[in-house]
Amino acid sequence: MAAHLSSGRVNLTALREAGRRELREFLDKCAGSKAIVWDEYLTGPFGLIAQYSLLKEHEVEKMFTLKPGRLPQADVKNIIFFVRPKLELMDIITDNVLREDRGRSPQRDFHILFVPRRSLLCEQWLKEQGVLGSFIHREQYSLDLIPFDGDLLSMESESAFKECYLESDQTSLYHAAKGLMTLQALYGTIPQIFGKGECARHVANMMIRMKREFPGSQNSIFPVFDTLLLLDRNVDLLTPLATQLTYEGLIDEIYGIQNTYVKLPPEKFAPKKQGEGGKDLPTEPKKLQLNSAEELYAEIRDKNFNAVGSVLSKKAKIISAAFEERHHAKTVGEIKQFVSQLPHMQAARSSLANHTSIAELIKDITTSEDFFDNLTVEQEFMSGIDTDKVNNYIEDCIAQKHPLIKILRLVCLQSVCNSGLKQKVLDHYKKEIIQTYGYEHILTLNNLEKAGLLKSQTSGRNNYPTIRKTLRLWMDDVNEQNPNDISYVYSGYAPLSVRLAQLLARPGWRSIEEVLKMLPGPHFEERQQLPTGLQKKRQHGENRVTLVFFLGGVTYAEIAALRFLSQMEDGGTEYVIATTKLINGTSWIKSLMEKLEPAPF
Amino acid sequence: MSRARADEEEYWHSSKFRAFTFDDEDDELSQLKESKRAVNSLRDIVDDDDDDLEKVSWSGDPVGSISWSIKETASSSTSSLESRDSSLQKGYSSYSAFPKQASSYSLSSLFKGRNKLPSFQSLSDALSDTGVKNYAPELRRPKAEYKDYSSDWSPKDTVRRMQRGKVCSLERFRSLQDKLVLLDEAVAGHDGNIITAVLIFLKRTLRKEILFQELEVRQVALCHLIHFLKETGEQKLLLDLLRFLDRTEEVALSQYREHLNIQDVEKRREFLKGCIGLPFSAEDTSHVQDHYTLLERQIIIEANDRHLETAGQSEIFRKYPRKASILNMPLVTTLFYSCFYHYTEAEGTFSSPTNLKKTFKIPDKQYVLTALAARAKLRAWNDVDALFTTKNWLGYTKKKAPIGFHRVVEILQRNNAPVQVLQEYVRLVEDVETQLNLATKYKCHDVVIDTYRDLKDRIQLAAYRCKVERGSAEEEKIDSILNNTQIRWKN
């Protein structure tokens, strides 16, 4: 189930195992039969740690989704709430508990498991409602970093960016530091820490402090990671705004990948068996898991979409040829051999079928006129063309009432690529937006300004061209089929964040001091002392391992770019990626918008 | 919607940027088809049962995944679960086959592991009651939970204990000095949970003015309190705090946000009226003023139109019943509505488009776009015509479009305007190339033919002949032009 986690340079199965163990320990505390009431948001991340079979093994008989009203009848001894520490969820739990029939026998015991941290605020809230005493166990499940793939960890904390950069709430940074401490406990102390940005500085400080305060975390494990690089998302606000052009990035942009699963329109996946005359066309979306456990997906996920078609066609030929073999199988031994390979071939065929369908779905969109136009404008901005005046395409999109998030992505991109917009230009956009989409969006626009995504050019100086040239963010001659530079992931634009990581590995940040000063927040280096016995003597030709932690989110295209660097023959560094949340421009902007619809209850 | 393919290529080859598409030279399109064909042909060879792959239930969730199991256990009795046991068992066995020795840690033991490593035991641990594991039983006695085992934890130790999830009483920090040290310790620990807990305690035990004053020099704690007040909806205290800090613009926005929670339109309007005087930025002030004015208008229009609609007297409402109320709609939507239902009204009425245009200073461009879309939807081609006709002082009429006629054509086309109407505007497009493209795309044959004639492009004209219907007037026209010996063709 989790073999893909051990495929990378660092075996992340150990982290998953630790998570499973903790879960089992908690479940066993509540003796007897159990029902779990789930905060729906958590089921996805938990699914990456444990399947239902594990819960069942520990006497979990029923599972429900958390909602107000009376809890369903279930003949169990324990009711356990698995929730994030959010006040609105506490209200629902209160409602559930108050409506519980006190007369029923035997009575059911209540427990709460907070994920990832117990919240005194929530407990206070429950106390004020008079239900705190109803809970026998109130514990926390420190699910900080969840292994998504062999080289990828995420906290799946949706609001982390908003909390850090809009509300100056550092709780998610504290969780990030905690997650890093867990990693160090399992994989050894990371000797070198680099960072850029205010939040990065905070996390490094907390790690150092925690190490001092929890001497138990001082361990004798040989360090797996050589370097930790902490990067603030607001050091590179540009990258997530641009449309990702890798296969995985486009799947995420168009359909949204949630906890490694994607839901796709079912039409293209209808089984075309003979004699079934299409009477049972599926109407529910097709749900697929996407990770490196699938051989074909691992091969194409990080490619530029333009290079995917040729791989799929090559695979098709190989599989066809393999199936043809059956005609040549003459002897019993040969037939047996063929049959033994069938399951693998069937899996490969089904995988190829799925990805051919997905590629077709995506191609329908990438060949649309509007996708072209949008991309042209993005690329103009990123290469520094006409960033200082009102853009016609954006105006047209507003006039045609395209989705607001699309408009905001483009306007923010223009602002970032111009180090802020001229006051007149900014005012014009703002006016058009609120007149077309509603005055209440003043609030969203204010949030974007606070986060620095939208601003007026105050200093009168546009730093972006200097940054672009020094870091070579725009490459005119990009090779999508056989890339030689990370810029292939955006067909020309090299993600700033990944360029920073690349330059840190070679030749070092000293070469770009000037540009680093133009980007927000401090840059720094820390060293953590290792006991003498644990200091690494590197074998000749052995790659270094760097953990890059994106505070505030990372996109699939950036991950692809780092994987590309890992695979470079003379790269010398392999990367493992961690983040507070896997994002794309749309989900990111959405997290910064004011919730305009009233609460559902 | 989609441009002609030739057109697309033209567009991309002329652009300085690479188009993002399957590369035409390699013809990936056909490659995809090829792999699809291969896949489909293989279906016949092998049984389609994906037994060896993950089991997937009807909803598409893999069997055994948590989200699947929620639905399953919630809807079915235990007995049906039994029947699924085999598949679950399968998932389980594959799990247990996995080597477990990978780690002997659980997440919490990594940090609670002091029992195993006695040498690291600190003084405070030695003092503390028992190991973490025994913490649970004490929770069984709810009454005792806020009681401390030791009454003289230092602020630092208190914060540390709280970080480990232990309940501590804060009540014994009585003096202001103690409380502030406690707060500073919490802030130094960076744990928002603890900072908030301490803030709740301070908020309860300190005078508002003193709390505000102290927080002013403690920015991190201040941010947490603001966030907390927003979260718990303590609007009044929040506004007091922001006012104290002189963050007036934030006060204004925060108050303005409240209107979203008011469902009743009359009340919402009253509330917005009250917002007008708030200290917004100059720019937002005018937006909020407009927001109020707009809602006020909408209420009047809505009452009036609902009456008209139910009375059944007005033809436009009978023919095109309203799909939704106009209340709380954006300005441009309101303008569209008014251009649709109230186009001819005199400027004096609240619902007339010209009145809206004036009141909200809607730019010409936006006005024309909206009016055009509304009138085109009603197929009122005369109104469309009038929209672009201007008279100069000599009385000559002239066609002018502030949005460019290519946009006009696109909007008309989207509203299924007939070719006769469409081509009239295609002719007005200034750039010949754009004109030709649009004319070709929307099959305005006359325009295409005339343009090629004017360009003296015999080859293109002859090529276009096969695109028109055989025996049609257009074909005749092309033939007569091609046979015209007077024209000096350039090719």
Side-chain angles (χ1 to χ4, degrees):
Chain A
M1 293 263 44
H4 60 286
L5 297 180
S6 52
S7 59
R9 177 71 186 272
V10 178
N11 186 349
L12 295 177
T13 325
L15 182 62
R16 184 170 181 268
E17 261 318 300
R20 291 166 73 91
R21 191 172 304 275
E22 168 116 350
L23 188 58
R24 284 195 287 259
E25 277 172 14
F26 172 75
L27 289 173
D28 289 342
K29 258 183 212 169
C30 314
S33 59
K34 317 167 178 61
I36 296 179
V37 183
W38 286 95
D39 168 359
E40 215 167 0
Y41 184 85
L42 290 176
T43 57
F46 261 83
L48 297 169
I49 298 290
Q51 299 288 89
Y52 181 49
S53 53
L54 180 142
L55 303 177
K56 195 159 174 282
E57 204 187 326
H58 293 264
E59 293 179 87
V60 175
E61 289 177 2
K62 302 265 175 182
M63 303 215 274
F64 308 110
T65 311
L66 181 65
K67 51 174 176 265
R70 222 185 149 114
L71 284 170
Q73 289 297 323
D75 220 3
V76 289
K77 179 145 189 319
N78 301 284
I79 301 270
I80 313 175
F81 294 93
F82 277 32
V83 287
R84 288 166 296 163
K86 290 197 174 288
L87 289 182
E88 64 262 29
L89 299 180
M90 295 307 114
D91 286 341
I92 304 179
I93 293 180
T94 304
D95 191 45
N96 286 167
V97 171
L98 290 177
R99 283 169 192 253
E100 175 77 353
D101 184 5
R102 288 287 151 203
R104 67 173 287 149
S105 73
Q107 274 211 2
R108 304 192 281 192
D109 289 343
F110 291 109
H111 316 275
I112 295 189
L113 187 64
F114 287 109
V115 184
R117 207 72 66 201
R118 260 176 92 170
S119 150
L120 298 165
L121 174 57
C122 286
E123 295 187 5
Q124 176 81 15
W125 194 259
L126 291 172
K127 194 179 175 203
E128 278 166 25
Q129 316 290 318
V131 295
L132 188 73
S134 311
F135 298 97
I136 296 178
H137 289 302
R138 298 191 307 270
E139 308 227 345
Q140 63 184 22
Y141 182 62
S142 321
L143 192 65
D144 289 317
L145 284 167
I146 307 157
F148 270 61
D149 218 317
D151 59 354
L152 181 59
L153 302 156
S154 172
M155 292 163 57
E156 283 309 285
S157 161
E158 236 174 348
S159 48
F161 183 84
K162 185 177 184 184
E163 283 167 18
C164 291
Y165 300 99
L166 222 56
E167 287 151 357
S168 310
D169 179 337
Q170 296 168 358
T171 307
S172 56
L173 299 181
Y174 177 76
H175 291 169
K178 277 278 195 190
L180 282 163
M181 296 311 283
T182 308
L183 274 189
Q184 292 194 99
L186 287 169
Y187 301 103
T189 303
I190 307 174
Q192 244 184 339
I193 304 177
F194 291 92
K196 170 72 188 165
E198 290 292 346
C199 294
R201 183 69 261 183
H202 276 303
V203 171
N205 288 348
M206 278 187 261
M207 284 174 69
I208 291 161
R209 188 185 151 112
M210 283 175 189
K211 195 172 171 227
R212 228 176 26 233
E213 290 180 1
F214 293 96
S217 64
Q218 179 71 265
N219 60 45
S220 51
I221 297 171
F222 201 79
V224 176
F225 296 103
D226 299 280
T227 309
L228 166 67
L229 170 58
L230 294 159
L231 281 178
D232 273 34
R233 184 71 272 175
N234 83 338
V235 170
D236 172 13
L237 293 170
L238 195 166
T239 304
L241 293 169
T243 305
Q244 307 171 68
L245 298 178
T246 57
Y247 181 53
E248 188 168 43
L250 276 166
I251 297 178
D252 188 41
E253 294 275 347
I254 297 168
Y255 298 106
I257 301 174
Q258 301 287 344
N259 302 299
T260 73
Y261 283 92
V262 67
K263 283 184 183 166
L264 299 158
E267 300 81 30
K268 293 248 182 194
F269 298 92
K272 281 185 207 126
K273 270 192 191 168
Q274 284 165 347
E276 270 187 22
K279 53 186 169 194
D280 286 326
L281 270 182
T283 47
E284 293 231 353
K286 167 100 173 168
K287 199 170 169 185
L288 283 176
Q289 187 169 26
L290 301 172
N291 63 33
S292 61
E294 189 184 353
E295 203 181 310
L296 175 60
Y297 188 63
E299 187 178 340
I300 58 176
R301 69 196 302 183
D302 300 319
K303 287 194 183 306
N304 186 295
F305 186 58
N306 279 343
V308 167
S310 61
V311 178
L312 290 179
S313 117
K314 226 178 282 162
K315 288 281 158 186
K317 281 180 197 142
I318 294 170
I319 292 179
S320 297
F323 275 102
E324 280 309 305
E325 290 278 308
R326 74 188 190 283
H327 296 304
H328 307 298
K330 294 277 181 335
T331 68
V332 176
E334 281 168 351
I335 291 170
K336 220 173 161 183
Q337 164 90 16
F338 178 80
V339 169
S340 73
Q341 284 170 352
L342 258 182
H344 179 74
M345 286 159 68
Q346 269 171 283
R349 187 222 52 206
S350 136
S351 163
L352 178 65
N354 283 339
H355 289 292
T356 307
S357 299
I358 298 174
E360 280 183 328
L361 285 168
I362 292 176
K363 192 181 58 62
D364 286 347
I365 294 183
T366 55
T367 49
S368 73
E369 185 181 8
D370 194 55
F371 189 88
F372 279 158
D373 293 350
N374 186 64
L375 195 68
T376 314
V377 173
E378 282 183 13
Q379 298 201 333
E380 277 177 1
F381 288 160
M382 290 189 290
S383 53
I385 297 171
D386 287 345
T387 51
D388 57 349
K389 52 187 184 212
V390 173
N391 181 283
N392 276 332
Y393 175 71
I394 296 180
E395 273 206 307
D396 280 5
C397 289
I398 295 174
Q400 294 174 36
K401 244 188 151 178
H402 283 217
L404 176 59
I405 292 188
K406 173 185 173 175
I407 311 292
L408 295 176
R409 265 178 92 159
L410 283 170
V411 174
C412 290
L413 183 69
Q414 184 177 356
S415 171
V416 174
C417 290
N418 199 54
S419 304
L421 297 166
K422 282 187 186 149
Q423 191 65 47
K424 239 176 73 188
V425 176
L426 180 62
D427 289 349
H428 178 83
Y429 280 138
K430 280 165 91 172
K431 191 170 175 191
E432 295 248 304
I433 288 170
I434 57 169
Q435 288 194 339
T436 308
Y437 296 92
Y439 286 104
E440 60 276 18
H441 292 289
I442 298 172
L443 297 166
T444 295
L445 292 171
N446 265 288
N447 285 351
L448 294 174
E449 284 189 68
K450 244 196 241 170
L453 278 161
L454 205 55
K455 59 181 182 184
S456 67
Q457 207 180 66
T458 40
S459 65
R461 201 182 135 69
N462 179 3
N463 282 331
Y464 178 70
T466 317
I467 298 170
R468 187 185 72 234
K469 279 173 208 146
T470 317
L471 299 182
R472 293 181 300 120
L473 298 185
W474 184 259
M475 306 296 275
D476 274 320
D477 47 347
V478 56
N479 186 342
E480 291 164 347
Q481 304 290 332
N482 299 300
N484 49 17
D485 181 70
I486 56 169
S487 56
Y488 85 93
V489 298
Y490 287 96
S491 289
Y493 166 73
L496 194 161
S497 57
V498 182
R499 203 55 113 201
L500 289 181
Q502 187 183 12
L503 289 166
L504 175 68
R506 195 179 297 168
W509 275 357
R510 209 157 287 162
S511 61
I512 50 165
E513 284 279 341
E514 285 308 305
V515 167
L516 283 174
K517 275 182 205 146
M518 290 176 184
L519 298 168
H523 58 281
F524 60 89
E525 179 182 354
E526 296 281 351
R527 276 174 196 280
Q528 301 199 92
Q529 278 306 317
L530 292 174
T532 35
L534 295 180
Q535 273 153 20
K536 211 168 186 174
K537 290 175 204 79
R538 200 179 315 283
Q539 306 278 314
H540 181 70
E542 189 190 331
N543 283 343
R544 302 172 57 83
V545 182
T546 296
L547 175 65
V548 187
F549 202 130
F550 289 84
L551 300 163
V554 68
T555 64
Y556 287 99
E558 286 169 300
I559 295 168
L562 283 168
R563 284 184 183 145
F564 172 79
L565 293 178
S566 291
Q567 282 155 15
M568 287 223 305
E569 267 173 36
D570 54 348
T573 307
E574 282 180 61
Y575 295 93
V576 174
I577 301 123
T579 184
T580 50
K581 174 90 178 85
L582 291 161
I583 58 166
N584 60 46
T586 301
S587 64
W588 189 39
I589 296 280
K590 210 177 198 166
S591 78
L592 291 171
M593 288 174 77
E594 283 292 330
K595 289 192 188 67
L596 296 175
E597 65 280 11
F601 43 83
Chain B
M1 184 68 192
S2 85
R3 230 182 265 173
R5 183 149 185 90
D7 193 359
E8 262 168 24
E9 269 159 25
E10 170 73 39
Y11 182 71
W12 281 99
H13 290 151
S14 64
S15 159
K16 41 197 170 305
F17 300 104
R18 30 183 68 246
F20 184 74
T21 162
F22 275 114
D23 204 347
D24 287 339
E25 286 133 306
D26 288 343
D27 203 357
E28 307 255 349
L29 193 64
S30 69
Q31 285 182 342
L32 263 189
K33 283 199 184 115
E34 191 183 327
S35 70
K36 180 122 183 140
R37 216 180 309 119
V39 165
N40 285 337
S41 69
L42 292 177
R43 282 182 210 276
D44 307 330
I45 304 172
V46 289
D47 187 5
D48 211 30
D49 256 347
D50 293 335
D51 252 342
D52 290 84
L53 296 174
E54 199 170 20
K55 282 230 174 277
V56 172
S57 73
W58 285 111
S59 66
D61 293 324
V63 169
S65 83
I66 286 175
S67 57
W68 175 81
S69 308
I70 290 182
K71 289 174 215 146
E72 213 46 29
T73 59
S75 61
S76 66
S77 67
T78 341
S79 64
S80 83
L81 258 179
E82 297 294 322
S83 67
R84 290 191 187 267
D85 234 56
S86 57
S87 68
L88 290 169
Q89 210 59 50
K90 198 169 169 185
Y92 170 62
S93 63
S94 73
Y95 144 71
S96 59
F98 194 80
K100 278 183 188 172
Q101 76 279 6
S103 158
S104 58
Y105 295 105
S106 82
L107 290 180
S108 55
S109 74
L110 296 173
F111 300 103
K112 293 173 186 166
R114 279 174 297 276
N115 295 344
K116 291 181 199 156
L117 303 161
S119 58
F120 291 120
Q121 207 162 37
S122 70
L123 185 61
S124 65
D125 289 319
L127 280 174
S128 96
D129 31 291
T130 45
V132 186
K133 296 281 156 160
N134 298 341
Y135 178 56
E138 85 190 42
L139 271 175
R140 287 188 191 278
R141 298 165 295 172
K143 270 185 193 164
E145 69 187 344
Y146 283 98
K147 195 169 168 266
D148 243 342
Y149 289 93
S150 164
S151 56
D152 50 356
W153 299 113
S154 71
K156 193 169 187 157
D157 288 332
T158 306
V159 168
R160 271 199 219 173
R161 282 176 59 82
M162 287 166 82
Q163 275 180 348
R164 276 177 235 153
K166 300 199 178 191
V167 181
C168 292
S169 163
L170 303 177
E171 303 297 335
R172 41 171 227 86
F173 295 101
R174 295 238 171 81
S175 73
L176 178 61
Q177 193 55 39
D178 281 354
K179 287 174 186 172
L180 293 176
V181 173
L182 182 68
L183 181 62
D184 290 338
E185 276 300 330
V187 169
H190 292 286
D191 185 344
N193 185 23
I194 313 293
I195 300 173
T196 307
V198 173
L199 283 169
I200 294 173
F201 168 63
L202 296 193
K203 180 173 141 269
R204 203 177 63 230
T205 58
L206 286 179
R207 277 218 336 266
K208 199 166 72 183
E209 294 73 18
I210 296 174
L211 178 65
F212 289 176
Q213 239 168 42
E214 293 300 336
L215 288 183
E216 203 176 1
V217 292
R218 291 173 174 80
Q219 282 299 315
V220 176
L222 179 66
C223 291
H224 278 272
L225 184 64
I226 291 172
H227 183 51
F228 163 72
L229 293 176
K230 276 184 191 160
E231 189 100 322
T232 52
E234 286 175 72
Q235 188 69 6
K236 200 182 159 300
L237 190 60
L238 175 65
L239 294 180
D240 285 347
L241 173 60
L242 292 175
R243 244 176 244 124
F244 171 84
L245 297 166
D246 229 18
R247 283 156 69 167
T248 50
E249 212 182 311
E250 234 173 292
V251 176
L253 285 168
S254 175
Q255 199 146 338
Y256 170 73
R257 183 182 289 112
E258 285 294 292
H259 85 266
L260 294 165
N261 299 325
I262 304 172
Q263 295 305 313
D264 183 272
V265 268
E266 290 291 343
K267 280 185 191 145
R268 189 183 264 212
R269 188 194 53 165
E270 276 314 300
F271 185 87
L272 285 173
K273 194 176 183 181
C275 286
I276 293 172
L278 295 172
F280 292 101
S281 68
E283 200 197 350
D284 285 348
T285 303
S286 78
H287 292 326
V288 172
Q289 166 81 54
D290 281 353
H291 191 174
Y292 164 72
T293 315
L294 180 64
L295 186 58
E296 193 182 34
R297 287 291 172 88
Q298 287 172 337
I299 291 172
I300 297 169
I301 298 174
E302 177 66 23
N304 205 18
D305 288 2
R306 200 186 302 133
H307 178 73
L308 277 174
E309 198 173 30
T310 35
Q313 302 283 316
S314 160
E315 200 195 326
I316 179 102
F317 286 107
R318 247 184 300 142
K319 230 166 139 188
Y320 304 97
R322 302 185 310 153
K323 288 198 189 86
S325 122
I326 193 62
L327 296 172
N328 295 319
M329 291 294 168
L331 176 61
V332 171
T333 313
T334 312
L335 180 63
F336 181 90
Y337 176 95
S338 116
C339 287
F340 196 90
Y341 289 111
H342 303 279
Y343 195 59
T344 51
E345 273 169 30
E347 201 186 309
T349 67
F350 278 146
S351 48
S352 92
T354 25
N355 189 310
L356 282 174
K357 181 173 188 264
K358 239 185 193 161
T359 312
F360 295 97
K361 299 194 188 70
I362 298 171
D364 254 0
K365 236 167 136 177
Q366 191 142 37
Y367 178 80
V368 169
L369 271 174
T370 314
L372 173 62
R375 298 325 285 173
K377 195 157 197 111
L378 285 168
R379 311 182 77 73
W381 308 124
N382 287 337
D383 291 340
V384 171
D385 188 61
L387 211 46
F388 303 109
T389 310
T390 50
K391 258 193 195 143
N392 68 7
W393 57 279
L394 285 171
Y396 295 116
T397 61
K398 209 184 142 200
K399 296 280 189 191
K400 234 176 86 186
I403 52 173
F405 280 105
H406 64 286
R407 293 279 301 281
V408 176
V409 171
E410 266 161 22
I411 292 168
L412 288 173
Q413 200 273 332
R414 236 178 288 147
N415 286 289
N416 302 318
V419 172
Q420 291 82 354
V421 175
L422 216 50
Q423 75 184 15
E424 188 182 328
Y425 294 94
V426 173
R427 281 185 200 283
L428 292 167
V429 174
E430 277 184 18
D431 180 54
V432 179
E433 209 173 311
T434 321
Q435 188 189 54
L436 203 51
N437 281 340
L438 285 171
T440 317
K441 189 163 151 190
Y442 300 136
K443 299 200 167 56
C444 302
H445 299 311
D446 263 354
V447 184
V448 179
I449 297 166
D450 292 349
T451 312
Y452 282 140
R453 185 197 57 205
D454 296 347
L455 291 170
K456 308 201 187 312
D457 195 335
R458 194 174 51 87
I459 293 173
Q460 288 291 346
L461 185 60
Y464 197 74
R465 191 175 175 277
C466 57
K467 288 195 184 149
V468 300
E469 239 174 271
R470 233 181 240 171
S472 64
E474 286 86 11
E475 195 185 49
E476 231 167 83
K477 184 173 173 183
I478 294 177
D479 287 339
S480 87
I481 295 171
L482 286 174
N483 294 331
N484 188 337
T485 48
Q486 306 261 293
I487 302 171
R488 273 193 218 145
W489 298 105
K490 74 170 185 191
N491 51 25

